[in-house]
Amino acid sequence: MDLEAWFWPVLIIVLTGGYAIAKTITINLKLTSKFNKIIVSCVVYILIIMSIYFKTIWDAFFIYVVSFFGIYLFFHYLFGILKWNKANSVLDKIHLKGITAVVISAILIIYGVWDVNHPIVHPFDIKINKHLNEQVNIGFVADIHLGTIKNDHIIDDIVNDANREKFDTFIIIGDLYDEFTKPEMTKEAIIKLSHIKTNHGIYYVEGNHDLLTEQRKKWFTDVGINVLDDKYILVNDNYYLVGRKDFRRNKIDFLDDRLTLNDLMKDISSN
């Protein structure tokens, strides 16, 4: 099956969410004509699809609005069945107009934008059933998605936090940038990340949004960041790091050169 795992859940959310928004609009505008209802539905679905395709802040906004309109309609019909709704209720009128959904969505987005631009270090102690020559302090960062709703100053914060922690190894685990992140922003972020001070190096593994090209790979390697795309490396004669190509890159480039995990690790000792 070539469809990605998230395709069907997203399709269901878009279809049901679009229906919820269109239904709420037609109720409030008192549209009874089938033609008008179809026009409203088409406009709603076009806006949702555009927001998802262009991956902007409106993408998140529509997801929240879809969610809350869906919740609204669920309770609207439930109250109707149970005869709990009151036609002249102020709260019912406010909710019916979608104001609740919009306000809550705006609050969550404002908080979300603030939150993603203020990274926090979360420490974890992990024990493995393998012998290590010495304890290792490894830092990870993932899903920065630079340029979507994040300012480039977040990279400075990550570098400063990482240097305070004094990691032995630092790993960038995919989705540093998005498909629409400006190349100059991506390159500048890579240069800044190379300033993280470690004992055993900085490593990068691509994510499904990175779409790692040879040019971008060169940006990493030129500043000393090791790219693990279907590669492994023995770090300090103590432990292995293994990184894989993202499976989506093969589909986009029409290639079939992504190694299986068994093939990639066949020469690594399991002791």
Side-chain angles (χ1 to χ4, degrees), residues 38-92:
I38 291 174
I39 293 298
V40 169
S41 298
C42 289
V43 171
V44 168
Y45 283 120
I46 288 171
L47 289 174
I48 292 175
I49 291 170
M50 287 178 63
S51 70
I52 292 173
Y53 177 78
F54 289 110
K55 300 182 187 300
T56 64
I57 190 171
W58 298 107
D59 184 358
F61 183 77
F62 272 112
I63 289 173
Y64 285 125
V65 170
V66 163
S67 302
F68 285 105
F69 274 161
I71 292 171
Y72 161 73
L73 280 184
F74 171 78
F75 283 104
H76 178 69
Y77 288 130
L78 178 63
F79 289 174
I81 293 171
L82 299 176
K83 298 181 179 179
W84 289 352
N85 55 334
K86 297 179 181 179
N88 295 321
S89 168
V90 175
L91 289 177
D92 189 63

Side-chain angles (χ1 to χ4, degrees), residues 55 142-148 155 172 174-183 185-187 189-190 193 204-217 219-220 248-249:
K55 300 182 187 300
D143 294 292
I144 297 175
H145 292 279
L146 187 67
T148 303
I155 301 297
I172 306 162
D175 291 350
L176 169 61
Y177 46 88
D178 282 332
E179 293 89 338
F180 302 103
T181 306
K182 294 179 180 179
M185 181 180 285
T186 300
K187 187 174 183 179
I190 293 170
L193 287 169
Y204 164 82
V205 180
E206 69 174 327
N208 62 310
H209 287 280
D210 291 326
L211 303 180
L212 186 65
T213 63
E214 290 300 320
Q215 177 63 65
R216 290 170 180 164
K217 188 187 299 185
W219 291 345
F220 284 103
R248 244 186 21 148
R249 181 144 61 100

Side-chain angles (χ1 to χ4, degrees), residues 101-126:
V102 172
V103 170
I104 294 177
S105 298
I107 291 172
L108 288 175
I109 285 182
I110 291 170
Y111 169 75
V113 171
W114 179 89
D115 185 59
V116 299
N117 282 287
H118 294 80
I120 299 174
V121 178
H122 295 282
F124 297 93
D125 291 324
I126 300 175

Side-chain angles (χ1 to χ4, degrees), residues 119-175:
I120 299 174
V121 178
H122 295 282
F124 297 93
D125 291 324
I126 300 175
K127 296 181 179 180
I128 60 174
N129 189 26
K130 299 285 183 180
H131 172 71
L132 293 176
N133 299 330
E134 59 185 6
Q135 185 174 321
V136 181
N137 186 20
I138 301 178
F140 297 87
V141 67
D143 294 292
I144 297 175
H145 292 279
L146 187 67
T148 303
I149 57 174
K150 294 189 175 89
N151 298 319
D152 54 3
H153 74 75
I154 192 175
I155 301 297
D156 296 322
D157 294 338
I158 290 171
V159 172
N160 292 333
D161 288 342
N163 285 334
R164 276 194 297 269
E165 296 294 324
K166 298 180 180 179
F167 294 115
D168 295 314
T169 302
F170 193 84
I171 308 173
I172 306 162
I173 315 178
D175 291 350

